[in-house]
PDB file of all heavy atoms in Angstrom:
ATOM      1  N   GLU A   1     -55.963 -82.455-107.328  1.00  0.00           N
ATOM      2  CA  GLU A   1     -54.515 -82.640-107.192  1.00  0.00           C
ATOM      3  C   GLU A   1     -53.935 -81.595-106.246  1.00  0.00           C
ATOM      4  O   GLU A   1     -53.076 -81.898-105.420  1.00  0.00           O
ATOM      5  CB  GLU A   1     -53.830 -82.531-108.560  1.00  0.00           C
ATOM      6  CG  GLU A   1     -53.984 -83.777-109.410  1.00  0.00           C
ATOM      7  CD  GLU A   1     -53.214 -83.666-110.719  1.00  0.00           C
ATOM      8  OE1 GLU A   1     -52.158 -83.003-110.728  1.00  0.00           O
ATOM      9  OE2 GLU A   1     -53.682 -84.258-111.706  1.00  0.00           O
ATOM     10  N   VAL A   2     -54.405 -80.373-106.368  1.00  0.00           N
ATOM     11  CA  VAL A   2     -53.931 -79.304-105.495  1.00  0.00           C
ATOM     12  C   VAL A   2     -54.290 -79.625-104.057  1.00  0.00           C
ATOM     13  O   VAL A   2     -53.479 -79.464-103.142  1.00  0.00           O
ATOM     14  CB  VAL A   2     -54.523 -77.936-105.923  1.00  0.00           C
ATOM     15  CG1 VAL A   2     -54.238 -76.870-104.874  1.00  0.00           C
ATOM     16  CG2 VAL A   2     -53.959 -77.525-107.271  1.00  0.00           C
ATOM     17  N   LYS A   3     -55.509 -80.123-103.829  1.00  0.00           N
ATOM     18  CA  LYS A   3     -55.925 -80.508-102.474  1.00  0.00           C
ATOM     19  C   LYS A   3     -55.023 -81.602-101.929  1.00  0.00           C
ATOM     20  O   LYS A   3     -54.603 -81.556-100.765  1.00  0.00           O
ATOM     21  CB  LYS A   3     -57.378 -81.014-102.478  1.00  0.00           C
ATOM     22  CG  LYS A   3     -58.416 -79.929-102.650  1.00  0.00           C
ATOM     23  CD  LYS A   3     -59.799 -80.550-102.650  1.00  0.00           C
ATOM     24  CE  LYS A   3     -60.853 -79.561-103.086  1.00  0.00           C
ATOM     25  NZ  LYS A   3     -62.182 -80.195-103.193  1.00  0.00           N
ATOM     26  N   LEU A   4     -54.721 -82.583-102.759  1.00  0.00           N
ATOM     27  CA  LEU A   4     -53.854 -83.683-102.330  1.00  0.00           C
ATOM     28  C   LEU A   4     -52.445 -83.194-102.023  1.00  0.00           C
ATOM     29  O   LEU A   4     -51.831 -83.609-101.040  1.00  0.00           O
ATOM     30  CB  LEU A   4     -53.809 -84.782-103.398  1.00  0.00           C
ATOM     31  CG  LEU A   4     -55.074 -85.619-103.546  1.00  0.00           C
ATOM     32  CD1 LEU A   4     -54.959 -86.543-104.753  1.00  0.00           C
ATOM     33  CD2 LEU A   4     -55.344 -86.415-102.288  1.00  0.00           C
ATOM     34  N   GLN A   5     -51.935 -82.300-102.877  1.00  0.00           N
ATOM     35  CA  GLN A   5     -50.601 -81.756-102.637  1.00  0.00           C
ATOM     36  C   GLN A   5     -50.563 -80.969-101.332  1.00  0.00           C
ATOM     37  O   GLN A   5     -49.631 -81.102-100.536  1.00  0.00           O
ATOM     38  CB  GLN A   5     -50.176 -80.848-103.802  1.00  0.00           C
ATOM     39  CG  GLN A   5     -49.798 -81.614-105.048  1.00  0.00           C
ATOM     40  CD  GLN A   5     -49.491 -80.689-106.218  1.00  0.00           C
ATOM     41  OE1 GLN A   5     -49.786 -79.495-106.169  1.00  0.00           O
ATOM     42  NE2 GLN A   5     -48.904 -81.247-107.270  1.00  0.00           N
ATOM     43  N   ASN A   6     -51.585 -80.160-101.107  1.00  0.00           N
ATOM     44  CA  ASN A   6     -51.636 -79.367 -99.871  1.00  0.00           C
ATOM     45  C   ASN A   6     -51.753 -80.280 -98.651  1.00  0.00           C
ATOM     46  O   ASN A   6     -51.114 -80.039 -97.631  1.00  0.00           O
ATOM     47  CB  ASN A   6     -52.798 -78.371 -99.916  1.00  0.00           C
ATOM     48  CG  ASN A   6     -52.545 -77.230-100.887  1.00  0.00           C
ATOM     49  OD1 ASN A   6     -51.403 -76.956-101.242  1.00  0.00           O
ATOM     50  ND2 ASN A   6     -53.600 -76.572-101.324  1.00  0.00           N
ATOM     51  N   ALA A   7     -52.577 -81.315 -98.773  1.00  0.00           N
ATOM     52  CA  ALA A   7     -52.728 -82.259 -97.664  1.00  0.00           C
ATOM     53  C   ALA A   7     -51.401 -82.966 -97.398  1.00  0.00           C
ATOM     54  O   ALA A   7     -51.002 -83.145 -96.237  1.00  0.00           O
ATOM     55  CB  ALA A   7     -53.823 -83.276 -97.985  1.00  0.00           C
ATOM     56  N   SER A   8     -50.692 -83.346 -98.449  1.00  0.00           N
ATOM     57  CA  SER A   8     -49.392 -84.004 -98.297  1.00  0.00           C
ATOM     58  C   SER A   8     -48.391 -83.078 -97.614  1.00  0.00           C
ATOM     59  O   SER A   8     -47.667 -83.501 -96.711  1.00  0.00           O
ATOM     60  CB  SER A   8     -48.837 -84.422 -99.663  1.00  0.00           C
ATOM     61  OG  SER A   8     -49.663 -85.408-100.232  1.00  0.00           O
ATOM     62  N   LYS A   9     -48.378 -81.825 -98.036  1.00  0.00           N
ATOM     63  CA  LYS A   9     -47.467 -80.846 -97.407  1.00  0.00           C
ATOM     64  C   LYS A   9     -47.788 -80.702 -95.930  1.00  0.00           C
ATOM     65  O   LYS A   9     -46.888 -80.648 -95.091  1.00  0.00           O
ATOM     66  CB  LYS A   9     -47.590 -79.478 -98.095  1.00  0.00           C
ATOM     67  CG  LYS A   9     -46.962 -79.426 -99.473  1.00  0.00           C
ATOM     68  CD  LYS A   9     -47.174 -78.050-100.103  1.00  0.00           C
ATOM     69  CE  LYS A   9     -46.691 -78.022-101.535  1.00  0.00           C
ATOM     70  NZ  LYS A   9     -46.973 -76.729-102.182  1.00  0.00           N
ATOM     71  N   GLN A  10     -49.086 -80.645 -95.602  1.00  0.00           N
ATOM     72  CA  GLN A  10     -49.510 -80.480 -94.213  1.00  0.00           C
ATOM     73  C   GLN A  10     -49.089 -81.694 -93.383  1.00  0.00           C
ATOM     74  O   GLN A  10     -48.593 -81.548 -92.264  1.00  0.00           O
ATOM     75  CB  GLN A  10     -51.042 -80.314 -94.159  1.00  0.00           C
ATOM     76  CG  GLN A  10     -51.552 -79.883 -92.802  1.00  0.00           C
ATOM     77  CD  GLN A  10     -51.088 -78.486 -92.424  1.00  0.00           C
ATOM     78  OE1 GLN A  10     -51.166 -77.574 -93.237  1.00  0.00           O
ATOM     79  NE2 GLN A  10     -50.609 -78.315 -91.216  1.00  0.00           N
ATOM     80  N   ILE A  11     -49.242 -82.875 -93.940  1.00  0.00           N
ATOM     81  CA  ILE A  11     -48.850 -84.101 -93.237  1.00  0.00           C
ATOM     82  C   ILE A  11     -47.351 -84.093 -92.970  1.00  0.00           C
ATOM     83  O   ILE A  11     -46.897 -84.407 -91.866  1.00  0.00           O
ATOM     84  CB  ILE A  11     -49.261 -85.351 -94.052  1.00  0.00           C
ATOM     85  CG1 ILE A  11     -50.786 -85.492 -94.032  1.00  0.00           C
ATOM     86  CG2 ILE A  11     -48.585 -86.600 -93.517  1.00  0.00           C
ATOM     87  CD1 ILE A  11     -51.321 -86.512 -95.010  1.00  0.00           C
ATOM     88  N   VAL A  12     -46.570 -83.728 -93.974  1.00  0.00           N
ATOM     89  CA  VAL A  12     -45.115 -83.687 -93.825  1.00  0.00           C
ATOM     90  C   VAL A  12     -44.713 -82.646 -92.782  1.00  0.00           C
ATOM     91  O   VAL A  12     -43.884 -82.905 -91.913  1.00  0.00           O
ATOM     92  CB  VAL A  12     -44.427 -83.397 -95.184  1.00  0.00           C
ATOM     93  CG1 VAL A  12     -42.947 -83.113 -95.000  1.00  0.00           C
ATOM     94  CG2 VAL A  12     -44.629 -84.574 -96.130  1.00  0.00           C
ATOM     95  N   GLN A  13     -45.324 -81.468 -92.843  1.00  0.00           N
ATOM     96  CA  GLN A  13     -45.008 -80.419 -91.867  1.00  0.00           C
ATOM     97  C   GLN A  13     -45.338 -80.869 -90.452  1.00  0.00           C
ATOM     98  O   GLN A  13     -44.556 -80.643 -89.526  1.00  0.00           O
ATOM     99  CB  GLN A  13     -45.785 -79.137 -92.199  1.00  0.00           C
ATOM    100  CG  GLN A  13     -45.231 -78.399 -93.406  1.00  0.00           C
ATOM    101  CD  GLN A  13     -46.069 -77.182 -93.771  1.00  0.00           C
ATOM    102  OE1 GLN A  13     -47.216 -77.056 -93.352  1.00  0.00           O
ATOM    103  NE2 GLN A  13     -45.497 -76.296 -94.580  1.00  0.00           N
ATOM    104  N   ASN A  14     -46.497 -81.513 -90.289  1.00  0.00           N
ATOM    105  CA  ASN A  14     -46.882 -82.000 -88.961  1.00  0.00           C
ATOM    106  C   ASN A  14     -45.907 -83.057 -88.461  1.00  0.00           C
ATOM    107  O   ASN A  14     -45.547 -83.067 -87.284  1.00  0.00           O
ATOM    108  CB  ASN A  14     -48.305 -82.566 -88.981  1.00  0.00           C
ATOM    109  CG  ASN A  14     -49.348 -81.467 -89.080  1.00  0.00           C
ATOM    110  OD1 ASN A  14     -49.081 -80.313 -88.823  1.00  0.00           O
ATOM    111  ND2 ASN A  14     -50.553 -81.852 -89.462  1.00  0.00           N
ATOM    112  N   ALA A  15     -45.489 -83.949 -89.349  1.00  0.00           N
ATOM    113  CA  ALA A  15     -44.545 -85.005 -88.963  1.00  0.00           C
ATOM    114  C   ALA A  15     -43.208 -84.404 -88.542  1.00  0.00           C
ATOM    115  O   ALA A  15     -42.613 -84.806 -87.541  1.00  0.00           O
ATOM    116  CB  ALA A  15     -44.353 -85.984 -90.123  1.00  0.00           C
ATOM    117  N   ILE A  16     -42.737 -83.419 -89.291  1.00  0.00           N
ATOM    118  CA  ILE A  16     -41.463 -82.759 -88.964  1.00  0.00           C
ATOM    119  C   ILE A  16     -41.578 -82.039 -87.621  1.00  0.00           C
ATOM    120  O   ILE A  16     -40.712 -82.153 -86.763  1.00  0.00           O
ATOM    121  CB  ILE A  16     -41.046 -81.781 -90.081  1.00  0.00           C
ATOM    122  CG1 ILE A  16     -40.654 -82.565 -91.341  1.00  0.00           C
ATOM    123  CG2 ILE A  16     -39.910 -80.883 -89.624  1.00  0.00           C
ATOM    124  CD1 ILE A  16     -40.448 -81.708 -92.570  1.00  0.00           C
ATOM    125  N   LEU A  17     -42.676 -81.307 -87.436  1.00  0.00           N
ATOM    126  CA  LEU A  17     -42.892 -80.572 -86.190  1.00  0.00           C
ATOM    127  C   LEU A  17     -42.922 -81.527 -85.000  1.00  0.00           C
ATOM    128  O   LEU A  17     -42.292 -81.274 -83.970  1.00  0.00           O
ATOM    129  CB  LEU A  17     -44.205 -79.790 -86.280  1.00  0.00           C
ATOM    130  CG  LEU A  17     -44.540 -78.875 -85.110  1.00  0.00           C
ATOM    131  CD1 LEU A  17     -43.454 -77.827 -84.902  1.00  0.00           C
ATOM    132  CD2 LEU A  17     -45.874 -78.195 -85.350  1.00  0.00           C
ATOM    133  N   GLN A  18     -43.626 -82.639 -85.156  1.00  0.00           N
ATOM    134  CA  GLN A  18     -43.705 -83.626 -84.081  1.00  0.00           C
ATOM    135  C   GLN A  18     -42.324 -84.210 -83.778  1.00  0.00           C
ATOM    136  O   GLN A  18     -41.952 -84.368 -82.614  1.00  0.00           O
ATOM    137  CB  GLN A  18     -44.673 -84.739 -84.480  1.00  0.00           C
ATOM    138  CG  GLN A  18     -44.935 -85.741 -83.383  1.00  0.00           C
ATOM    139  CD  GLN A  18     -45.951 -86.791 -83.789  1.00  0.00           C
ATOM    140  OE1 GLN A  18     -46.496 -86.748 -84.892  1.00  0.00           O
ATOM    141  NE2 GLN A  18     -46.207 -87.733 -82.912  1.00  0.00           N
ATOM    142  N   ALA A  19     -41.558 -84.495 -84.811  1.00  0.00           N
ATOM    143  CA  ALA A  19     -40.214 -85.051 -84.622  1.00  0.00           C
ATOM    144  C   ALA A  19     -39.312 -84.051 -83.904  1.00  0.00           C
ATOM    145  O   ALA A  19     -38.566 -84.420 -82.999  1.00  0.00           O
ATOM    146  CB  ALA A  19     -39.615 -85.440 -85.972  1.00  0.00           C
ATOM    147  N   VAL A  20     -39.393 -82.788 -84.287  1.00  0.00           N
ATOM    148  CA  VAL A  20     -38.563 -81.749 -83.654  1.00  0.00           C
ATOM    149  C   VAL A  20     -38.937 -81.614 -82.182  1.00  0.00           C
ATOM    150  O   VAL A  20     -38.067 -81.539 -81.313  1.00  0.00           O
ATOM    151  CB  VAL A  20     -38.729 -80.391 -84.380  1.00  0.00           C
ATOM    152  CG1 VAL A  20     -38.125 -79.257 -83.578  1.00  0.00           C
ATOM    153  CG2 VAL A  20     -38.081 -80.462 -85.757  1.00  0.00           C
ATOM    154  N   ARG A  21     -40.246 -81.614 -81.889  1.00  0.00           N
ATOM    155  CA  ARG A  21     -40.690 -81.525 -80.490  1.00  0.00           C
ATOM    156  C   ARG A  21     -40.181 -82.715 -79.682  1.00  0.00           C
ATOM    157  O   ARG A  21     -39.731 -82.562 -78.546  1.00  0.00           O
ATOM    158  CB  ARG A  21     -42.219 -81.486 -80.421  1.00  0.00           C
ATOM    159  CG  ARG A  21     -42.792 -80.147 -80.810  1.00  0.00           C
ATOM    160  CD  ARG A  21     -44.293 -80.166 -80.726  1.00  0.00           C
ATOM    161  NE  ARG A  21     -44.870 -78.869 -81.045  1.00  0.00           N
ATOM    162  CZ  ARG A  21     -46.121 -78.706 -81.464  1.00  0.00           C
ATOM    163  NH1 ARG A  21     -46.911 -79.731 -81.616  1.00  0.00           N
ATOM    164  NH2 ARG A  21     -46.566 -77.500 -81.727  1.00  0.00           N
ATOM    165  N   GLN A  22     -40.255 -83.902 -80.277  1.00  0.00           N
ATOM    166  CA  GLN A  22     -39.823 -85.111 -79.573  1.00  0.00           C
ATOM    167  C   GLN A  22     -38.323 -85.061 -79.286  1.00  0.00           C
ATOM    168  O   GLN A  22     -37.882 -85.362 -78.186  1.00  0.00           O
ATOM    169  CB  GLN A  22     -40.160 -86.352 -80.407  1.00  0.00           C
ATOM    170  CG  GLN A  22     -39.847 -87.650 -79.708  1.00  0.00           C
ATOM    171  CD  GLN A  22     -40.273 -88.862 -80.515  1.00  0.00           C
ATOM    172  OE1 GLN A  22     -41.030 -88.732 -81.476  1.00  0.00           O
ATOM    173  NE2 GLN A  22     -39.795 -90.017 -80.144  1.00  0.00           N
ATOM    174  N   VAL A  23     -37.544 -84.672 -80.270  1.00  0.00           N
ATOM    175  CA  VAL A  23     -36.091 -84.587 -80.092  1.00  0.00           C
ATOM    176  C   VAL A  23     -35.754 -83.543 -79.022  1.00  0.00           C
ATOM    177  O   VAL A  23     -34.900 -83.773 -78.175  1.00  0.00           O
ATOM    178  CB  VAL A  23     -35.390 -84.255 -81.430  1.00  0.00           C
ATOM    179  CG1 VAL A  23     -33.937 -83.877 -81.212  1.00  0.00           C
ATOM    180  CG2 VAL A  23     -35.497 -85.439 -82.375  1.00  0.00           C
ATOM    181  N   SER A  24     -36.452 -82.410 -79.051  1.00  0.00           N
ATOM    182  CA  SER A  24     -36.215 -81.367 -78.054  1.00  0.00           C
ATOM    183  C   SER A  24     -36.529 -81.879 -76.653  1.00  0.00           C
ATOM    184  O   SER A  24     -35.765 -81.650 -75.713  1.00  0.00           O
ATOM    185  CB  SER A  24     -37.077 -80.138 -78.342  1.00  0.00           C
ATOM    186  OG  SER A  24     -36.706 -79.571 -79.569  1.00  0.00           O
ATOM    187  N   GLN A  25     -37.652 -82.579 -76.532  1.00  0.00           N
ATOM    188  CA  GLN A  25     -38.051 -83.110 -75.227  1.00  0.00           C
ATOM    189  C   GLN A  25     -37.041 -84.136 -74.724  1.00  0.00           C
ATOM    190  O   GLN A  25     -36.617 -84.099 -73.570  1.00  0.00           O
ATOM    191  CB  GLN A  25     -39.442 -83.747 -75.334  1.00  0.00           C
ATOM    192  CG  GLN A  25     -39.981 -84.247 -74.010  1.00  0.00           C
ATOM    193  CD  GLN A  25     -41.365 -84.866 -74.162  1.00  0.00           C
ATOM    194  OE1 GLN A  25     -41.905 -84.936 -75.256  1.00  0.00           O
ATOM    195  NE2 GLN A  25     -41.924 -85.314 -73.064  1.00  0.00           N
ATOM    196  N   GLU A  26     -36.631 -85.048 -75.602  1.00  0.00           N
ATOM    197  CA  GLU A  26     -35.654 -86.069 -75.216  1.00  0.00           C
ATOM    198  C   GLU A  26     -34.325 -85.429 -74.835  1.00  0.00           C
ATOM    199  O   GLU A  26     -33.672 -85.850 -73.887  1.00  0.00           O
ATOM    200  CB  GLU A  26     -35.456 -87.068 -76.358  1.00  0.00           C
ATOM    201  CG  GLU A  26     -36.654 -87.972 -76.565  1.00  0.00           C
ATOM    202  CD  GLU A  26     -36.524 -88.838 -77.805  1.00  0.00           C
ATOM    203  OE1 GLU A  26     -35.503 -88.737 -78.515  1.00  0.00           O
ATOM    204  OE2 GLU A  26     -37.453 -89.620 -78.069  1.00  0.00           O
ATOM    205  N   SER A  27     -33.943 -84.389 -75.556  1.00  0.00           N
ATOM    206  CA  SER A  27     -32.693 -83.692 -75.276  1.00  0.00           C
ATOM    207  C   SER A  27     -32.751 -83.036 -73.898  1.00  0.00           C
ATOM    208  O   SER A  27     -31.808 -83.128 -73.117  1.00  0.00           O
ATOM    209  CB  SER A  27     -32.443 -82.645 -76.354  1.00  0.00           C
ATOM    210  OG  SER A  27     -31.242 -81.979 -76.114  1.00  0.00           O
ATOM    211  N   ARG A  28     -33.894 -82.392 -73.589  1.00  0.00           N
ATOM    212  CA  ARG A  28     -34.061 -81.754 -72.277  1.00  0.00           C
ATOM    213  C   ARG A  28     -33.999 -82.802 -71.169  1.00  0.00           C
ATOM    214  O   ARG A  28     -33.348 -82.598 -70.148  1.00  0.00           O
ATOM    215  CB  ARG A  28     -35.411 -81.027 -72.204  1.00  0.00           C
ATOM    216  CG  ARG A  28     -35.258 -79.538 -72.396  1.00  0.00           C
ATOM    217  CD  ARG A  28     -36.572 -78.801 -72.207  1.00  0.00           C
ATOM    218  NE  ARG A  28     -37.176 -78.531 -73.512  1.00  0.00           N
ATOM    219  CZ  ARG A  28     -38.335 -79.029 -73.934  1.00  0.00           C
ATOM    220  NH1 ARG A  28     -39.067 -79.789 -73.175  1.00  0.00           N
ATOM    221  NH2 ARG A  28     -38.778 -78.736 -75.136  1.00  0.00           N
ATOM    222  N   GLN A  29     -34.678 -83.932 -71.379  1.00  0.00           N
ATOM    223  CA  GLN A  29     -34.682 -84.994 -70.367  1.00  0.00           C
ATOM    224  C   GLN A  29     -33.270 -85.533 -70.163  1.00  0.00           C
ATOM    225  O   GLN A  29     -32.852 -85.802 -69.041  1.00  0.00           O
ATOM    226  CB  GLN A  29     -35.623 -86.122 -70.782  1.00  0.00           C
ATOM    227  CG  GLN A  29     -37.083 -85.738 -70.680  1.00  0.00           C
ATOM    228  CD  GLN A  29     -38.005 -86.789 -71.267  1.00  0.00           C
ATOM    229  OE1 GLN A  29     -37.563 -87.703 -71.964  1.00  0.00           O
ATOM    230  NE2 GLN A  29     -39.295 -86.660 -71.012  1.00  0.00           N
ATOM    231  N   ARG A  30     -32.525 -85.697 -71.247  1.00  0.00           N
ATOM    232  CA  ARG A  30     -31.158 -86.206 -71.160  1.00  0.00           C
ATOM    233  C   ARG A  30     -30.290 -85.232 -70.365  1.00  0.00           C
ATOM    234  O   ARG A  30     -29.492 -85.642 -69.528  1.00  0.00           O
ATOM    235  CB  ARG A  30     -30.599 -86.426 -72.568  1.00  0.00           C
ATOM    236  CG  ARG A  30     -29.385 -87.327 -72.603  1.00  0.00           C
ATOM    237  CD  ARG A  30     -28.937 -87.650 -74.029  1.00  0.00           C
ATOM    238  NE  ARG A  30     -29.986 -88.299 -74.792  1.00  0.00           N
ATOM    239  CZ  ARG A  30     -30.531 -87.801 -75.905  1.00  0.00           C
ATOM    240  NH1 ARG A  30     -30.127 -86.652 -76.393  1.00  0.00           N
ATOM    241  NH2 ARG A  30     -31.484 -88.449 -76.537  1.00  0.00           N
ATOM    242  N   GLU A  31     -30.452 -83.930 -70.629  1.00  0.00           N
ATOM    243  CA  GLU A  31     -29.672 -82.917 -69.903  1.00  0.00           C
ATOM    244  C   GLU A  31     -29.991 -82.965 -68.412  1.00  0.00           C
ATOM    245  O   GLU A  31     -29.095 -82.889 -67.580  1.00  0.00           O
ATOM    246  CB  GLU A  31     -29.975 -81.519 -70.455  1.00  0.00           C
ATOM    247  CG  GLU A  31     -29.333 -81.248 -71.793  1.00  0.00           C
ATOM    248  CD  GLU A  31     -29.744 -79.897 -72.368  1.00  0.00           C
ATOM    249  OE1 GLU A  31     -30.419 -79.122 -71.660  1.00  0.00           O
ATOM    250  OE2 GLU A  31     -29.394 -79.619 -73.526  1.00  0.00           O
ATOM    251  N   GLU A  32     -31.274 -83.102 -68.087  1.00  0.00           N
ATOM    252  CA  GLU A  32     -31.667 -83.171 -66.673  1.00  0.00           C
ATOM    253  C   GLU A  32     -31.070 -84.413 -66.020  1.00  0.00           C
ATOM    254  O   GLU A  32     -30.573 -84.353 -64.903  1.00  0.00           O
ATOM    255  CB  GLU A  32     -33.197 -83.185 -66.551  1.00  0.00           C
ATOM    256  CG  GLU A  32     -33.824 -81.843 -66.869  1.00  0.00           C
ATOM    257  CD  GLU A  32     -35.345 -81.896 -66.896  1.00  0.00           C
ATOM    258  OE1 GLU A  32     -35.921 -82.920 -66.463  1.00  0.00           O
ATOM    259  OE2 GLU A  32     -35.955 -80.919 -67.350  1.00  0.00           O
ATOM    260  N   ARG A  33     -31.127 -85.539 -66.719  1.00  0.00           N
ATOM    261  CA  ARG A  33     -30.556 -86.786 -66.189  1.00  0.00           C
ATOM    262  C   ARG A  33     -29.060 -86.637 -65.976  1.00  0.00           C
ATOM    263  O   ARG A  33     -28.524 -87.041 -64.951  1.00  0.00           O
ATOM    264  CB  ARG A  33     -30.814 -87.945 -67.164  1.00  0.00           C
ATOM    265  CG  ARG A  33     -31.925 -88.861 -66.754  1.00  0.00           C
ATOM    266  CD  ARG A  33     -31.845 -90.189 -67.472  1.00  0.00           C
ATOM    267  NE  ARG A  33     -31.504 -90.109 -68.883  1.00  0.00           N
ATOM    268  CZ  ARG A  33     -32.390 -89.984 -69.868  1.00  0.00           C
ATOM    269  NH1 ARG A  33     -33.660 -89.924 -69.624  1.00  0.00           N
ATOM    270  NH2 ARG A  33     -31.985 -89.932 -71.120  1.00  0.00           N
ATOM    271  N   ASP A  34     -28.394 -86.017 -66.948  1.00  0.00           N
ATOM    272  CA  ASP A  34     -26.942 -85.822 -66.839  1.00  0.00           C
ATOM    273  C   ASP A  34     -26.611 -84.937 -65.642  1.00  0.00           C
ATOM    274  O   ASP A  34     -25.677 -85.211 -64.903  1.00  0.00           O
ATOM    275  CB  ASP A  34     -26.376 -85.189 -68.121  1.00  0.00           C
ATOM    276  CG  ASP A  34     -26.353 -86.170 -69.282  1.00  0.00           C
ATOM    277  OD1 ASP A  34     -26.597 -87.376 -69.054  1.00  0.00           O
ATOM    278  OD2 ASP A  34     -26.095 -85.732 -70.417  1.00  0.00           O
ATOM    279  N   ARG A  35     -27.404 -83.863 -65.452  1.00  0.00           N
ATOM    280  CA  ARG A  35     -27.181 -82.985 -64.308  1.00  0.00           C
ATOM    281  C   ARG A  35     -27.379 -83.760 -63.007  1.00  0.00           C
ATOM    282  O   ARG A  35     -26.582 -83.661 -62.088  1.00  0.00           O
ATOM    283  CB  ARG A  35     -28.149 -81.795 -64.348  1.00  0.00           C
ATOM    284  CG  ARG A  35     -27.476 -80.552 -64.884  1.00  0.00           C
ATOM    285  CD  ARG A  35     -28.364 -79.328 -64.761  1.00  0.00           C
ATOM    286  NE  ARG A  35     -28.939 -79.049 -66.077  1.00  0.00           N
ATOM    287  CZ  ARG A  35     -30.239 -79.032 -66.350  1.00  0.00           C
ATOM    288  NH1 ARG A  35     -31.121 -79.254 -65.430  1.00  0.00           N
ATOM    289  NH2 ARG A  35     -30.653 -78.774 -67.564  1.00  0.00           N
ATOM    290  N   ASP A  36     -28.443 -84.559 -62.941  1.00  0.00           N
ATOM    291  CA  ASP A  36     -28.718 -85.360 -61.738  1.00  0.00           C
ATOM    292  C   ASP A  36     -27.598 -86.358 -61.507  1.00  0.00           C
ATOM    293  O   ASP A  36     -27.138 -86.533 -60.391  1.00  0.00           O
ATOM    294  CB  ASP A  36     -30.058 -86.096 -61.876  1.00  0.00           C
ATOM    295  CG  ASP A  36     -31.242 -85.134 -61.828  1.00  0.00           C
ATOM    296  OD1 ASP A  36     -31.043 -83.962 -61.435  1.00  0.00           O
ATOM    297  OD2 ASP A  36     -32.349 -85.553 -62.189  1.00  0.00           O
ATOM    298  N   ASN A  37     -27.160 -87.015 -62.570  1.00  0.00           N
ATOM    299  CA  ASN A  37     -26.100 -88.016 -62.446  1.00  0.00           C
ATOM    300  C   ASN A  37     -24.791 -87.385 -61.993  1.00  0.00           C
ATOM    301  O   ASN A  37     -24.077 -87.940 -61.183  1.00  0.00           O
ATOM    302  CB  ASN A  37     -25.883 -88.758 -63.774  1.00  0.00           C
ATOM    303  CG  ASN A  37     -27.021 -89.715 -64.073  1.00  0.00           C
ATOM    304  OD1 ASN A  37     -27.784 -90.077 -63.180  1.00  0.00           O
ATOM    305  ND2 ASN A  37     -27.136 -90.112 -65.318  1.00  0.00           N
ATOM    306  N   ARG A  38     -24.489 -86.201 -62.514  1.00  0.00           N
ATOM    307  CA  ARG A  38     -23.262 -85.514 -62.100  1.00  0.00           C
ATOM    308  C   ARG A  38     -23.346 -85.167 -60.623  1.00  0.00           C
ATOM    309  O   ARG A  38     -22.387 -85.326 -59.896  1.00  0.00           O
ATOM    310  CB  ARG A  38     -23.039 -84.245 -62.940  1.00  0.00           C
ATOM    311  CG  ARG A  38     -22.219 -84.523 -64.177  1.00  0.00           C
ATOM    312  CD  ARG A  38     -21.841 -83.225 -64.876  1.00  0.00           C
ATOM    313  NE  ARG A  38     -22.337 -83.281 -66.231  1.00  0.00           N
ATOM    314  CZ  ARG A  38     -23.245 -82.471 -66.751  1.00  0.00           C
ATOM    315  NH1 ARG A  38     -23.751 -81.501 -66.062  1.00  0.00           N
ATOM    316  NH2 ARG A  38     -23.647 -82.619 -67.986  1.00  0.00           N
ATOM    317  N   GLY A  39     -24.511 -84.702 -60.181  1.00  0.00           N
ATOM    318  CA  GLY A  39     -24.696 -84.364 -58.776  1.00  0.00           C
ATOM    319  C   GLY A  39     -24.524 -85.593 -57.901  1.00  0.00           C
ATOM    320  O   GLY A  39     -23.815 -85.554 -56.895  1.00  0.00           O
ATOM    321  N   SER A  40     -25.114 -86.701 -58.278  1.00  0.00           N
ATOM    322  CA  SER A  40     -25.000 -87.939 -57.505  1.00  0.00           C
ATOM    323  C   SER A  40     -23.562 -88.424 -57.513  1.00  0.00           C
ATOM    324  O   SER A  40     -23.041 -88.871 -56.496  1.00  0.00           O
ATOM    325  CB  SER A  40     -25.887 -89.030 -58.114  1.00  0.00           C
ATOM    326  OG  SER A  40     -27.230 -88.629 -58.088  1.00  0.00           O
TER     327      SER A  40
END
């Protein structure tokens, strides 16, 4: 049970980390697009 709980925690942490990275990347891309669009 402890192994399963630890594995579950690890899966959740990895999912959260991946989601945060994705949101950060999308946010950076959006900012770059906005800067380019403002320039154009």
Side-chain angles (χ1 to χ4, degrees):
E1 283 184 32
V2 170
K3 287 179 191 175
L4 288 173
Q5 286 175 347
N6 288 339
S8 295
K9 287 178 186 176
Q10 191 66 46
I11 290 169
V12 170
Q13 286 176 342
N14 287 342
I16 291 170
L17 185 59
Q18 186 177 358
V20 168
R21 284 180 178 157
Q22 185 176 346
V23 168
S24 296
Q25 184 180 1
E26 289 173 0
S27 181
R28 258 185 262 116
Q29 288 172 347
R30 198 174 301 119
E31 285 175 7
E32 288 174 11
R33 257 198 318 271
D34 288 350
R35 260 187 258 120
D36 290 346
N37 288 342
R38 270 188 237 117
S40 299

